[in-house]
Amino acid sequence: MYNSLARKNQNEYRFLFVQSNGSQLQDITKLVEKENIKPSLDSTYAFGDINKALIKVSTGHSQGKVVVTF
């Protein structure tokens, strides 16, 4: 599924599995900065609309990161 979607949109997907410990998180930070990796951003909500953001994430309709600002 991801391969055909990536080809269609001329994107490249890679997966990296890590544990949430300080050393690995520092390594991930370095990799993101070095490779200038940009996350896929779906939408941004004001804090007052947090319920809308949670619904979007919980129903699986987001196509990237959902950001809540305050």
Side-chain angles (χ1 to χ4, degrees):
M1 177 177 145
Y2 288 109
N3 288 336
S4 61
L5 183 61
R7 279 193 294 271
K8 178 182 173 185
N9 294 315
Q10 297 180 342
N11 291 325
E12 183 177 319
Y13 293 90
R14 294 185 186 187
F15 297 92
L16 184 62
F17 299 94
V18 298
Q19 296 175 356
S20 58
N21 66 48
S23 175
Q24 287 191 350
L25 292 175
Q26 286 177 343
D27 291 343
I28 293 295
T29 299
K30 290 175 189 173
L31 176 66
V32 168
E33 290 173 349
K34 176 183 172 199
E35 299 296 328
N36 198 29
I37 297 170
K38 303 288 184 203
S40 174
L41 182 63
D42 180 87
S43 50
T44 302
Y45 292 89
F47 187 73
D49 292 327
I50 194 166
N51 287 333
K52 291 179 184 178
L54 292 171
I55 290 169
K56 183 156 194 169
V57 172
S58 69
T59 58
H61 294 298
S62 62
Q63 298 293 314
K65 300 294 182 189
V66 175
V67 177
V68 177
T69 60
F70 45 126

